[in-house]
Amino acid sequence: MSFVSAQSNYYDLDNDNLQDEVVLENGLVTVHFGNKKSGSFELPEITALGNTSLGYTNPSELTIYYGGDRGLYGTINVFYKKEWCIKNTNFYNPCQECEDQNFKILKKSINLPVKDIDSDKLEIDSKGFKSLTFFDDQGILKPYKDLKKLYTDLSGYPLLANRFNEAVLLDFKKKFTLSQRNLDDYNNIAFALSKNGNQKAGIELLKQIITKFPDRTVAYLNLADNYWNIGEKDKAINNYKEYLTLMKTQKKDLKKIPRYIHGRIESK
């Protein structure tokens, strides 16, 4: 970590109506309680967020600001109740498409002692969380106003793709109604879901595409690949055949047909 020079703020962390001096220096928070006690704890290290500073939440809480490259930043709210605990975490990433110019990656209540926090859960890179361990299912789609951003995150974070259960898919379809304008984005998101192991969600979106746009050639290929990868070979072969038919009737470049398709069709 890198740090600004030592800071000193005053709070009442133990609610005894006496001011407590809080000092942040070199990743160590030291508190000199008004009743003459002292205590300290090391800040959790967060990948890609190395600059820290003290902030103010309310008289009984600390806010630690973490800053990093490319505009990524976050806060951790800390309180004292016989021992130091992390109340919640908030992390943000720049988002030109968002109304407030900030894309909120995470807000999660933790309420655990600092000593019990697994550092892996706070591991992030310049793009955001690597594991998305704390990602709330109900909040997955809320920050997204652009399907291209969603596709980027689905491609980069397998655990985000895995969170696309039936409820999330239903919300996705309601929020982003399939149309000719977003057809390519839909197909790309289905591909990203499948690539990161969520074939069920990928199949659901591809079936929706084919129902509304039955001439969407590549959707049949992607759907067939999904069925093949989960062992439903009869369904895969039927869609491979439909794909080949459309390639021919639409007079597309037959040289672009993947070589493995004929072998799979003939394998039955």
Side-chain angles (χ1 to χ4, degrees):
M1 283 189 179
S2 59
F3 302 91
V4 297
S5 58
Q7 302 170 69
S8 179
N9 288 8
Y10 290 89
Y11 304 86
D12 181 15
L13 295 170
D14 52 358
N15 294 299
D16 62 358
N17 296 316
L18 297 173
Q19 279 194 331
D20 307 321
E21 182 184 16
V22 181
V23 179
L24 169 61
E25 186 174 17
N26 295 325
L28 186 69
V29 176
T30 302
V31 179
H32 303 290
F33 291 98
N35 56 16
K36 307 303 181 184
K37 293 188 303 181
S38 293
S40 63
F41 64 92
E42 291 186 4
L43 292 178
E45 290 193 17
I46 304 178
T47 311
L49 296 184
N51 300 308
T52 58
S53 60
L54 285 173
Y56 178 82
T57 304
N58 61 53
S60 60
E61 292 181 14
L62 295 175
T63 299
I64 309 297
Y65 288 89
Y66 287 77
D69 297 331
R70 304 181 186 177
L72 189 70
Y73 69 94
T75 64
I76 289 182
N77 293 330
V78 183
F79 66 95
Y80 182 81
K81 189 175 182 180
K82 296 184 179 179
E83 62 181 331
W84 294 105
C85 300
I86 292 181
K87 181 180 180 180
N88 55 48
T89 58
N90 297 270
F91 292 96
Y92 301 81
N93 206 1
C95 176
Q96 298 302 319
E97 298 82 11
C98 301
E99 291 180 0
D100 61 358
Q101 299 298 301
N102 291 307
F103 173 67
K104 197 166 192 175
I105 299 175
L106 167 72
K107 180 176 181 179
K108 181 65 178 181
S109 297
I110 299 177
N111 293 316
L112 288 174
V114 173
K115 63 180 177 61
D116 293 339
I117 297 297
D118 182 354
S119 60
D120 289 343
K121 292 181 179 180
L122 298 177
E123 186 179 4
I124 63 176
D125 58 23
S126 59
K127 296 180 180 178
F129 277 84
K130 288 185 176 179
S131 66
L132 293 175
T133 305
F134 290 136
F135 214 113
D136 293 319
D137 286 347
Q138 292 182 347
I140 285 179
L141 295 177
K142 186 176 181 180
Y144 293 97
K145 297 181 180 180
D146 180 70
L147 285 174
K148 290 181 173 57
K149 173 62 177 173
L150 178 56
Y151 167 69
T152 298
D153 288 348
L154 283 171
S155 299
Y157 308 121
L159 287 182
L160 177 56
N162 291 340
R163 295 298 180 92
F164 266 67
N165 54 30
E166 291 182 6
V168 174
L169 276 172
L170 183 61
D171 290 341
F172 174 82
K173 293 177 182 179
K174 290 179 179 178
K175 184 171 184 177
F176 302 105
T177 304
L178 177 60
S179 66
Q180 184 68 52
R181 185 171 58 85
N182 63 16
L183 180 56
D184 287 342
D185 292 326
Y186 247 74
N187 200 97
N188 290 338
I189 286 172
F191 177 79
L193 287 167
S194 304
K195 182 180 179 182
N196 281 324
N198 194 341
Q199 279 86 13
K200 184 176 180 180
I203 287 171
E204 181 64 27
L205 290 184
L206 289 166
K207 286 168 63 177
Q208 183 186 6
I209 290 172
I210 288 171
T211 298
K212 192 165 185 177
F213 299 97
D215 293 332
R216 178 73 176 181
T217 307
V218 70
Y220 290 93
L221 173 60
N222 293 337
L223 182 59
D225 286 342
N226 271 280
Y227 278 131
W228 187 271
N229 290 334
I230 64 174
E232 296 193 31
K233 295 186 177 181
D234 288 340
K235 291 181 179 180
I237 290 171
N238 288 337
N239 281 282
Y240 282 136
K241 289 179 178 178
E242 186 63 32
Y243 165 72
L244 292 176
T245 298
L246 287 173
M247 287 291 288
K248 294 173 182 177
T249 58
Q250 295 177 6
K251 298 181 179 180
K252 294 183 178 294
D253 185 358
L254 302 184
K255 294 180 180 178
K256 293 183 177 181
I257 296 174
R259 294 182 179 180
Y260 63 81
I261 290 179
H262 297 289
R264 290 181 177 181
I265 291 175
E266 293 171 0
S267 68
K268 187 176 179 181

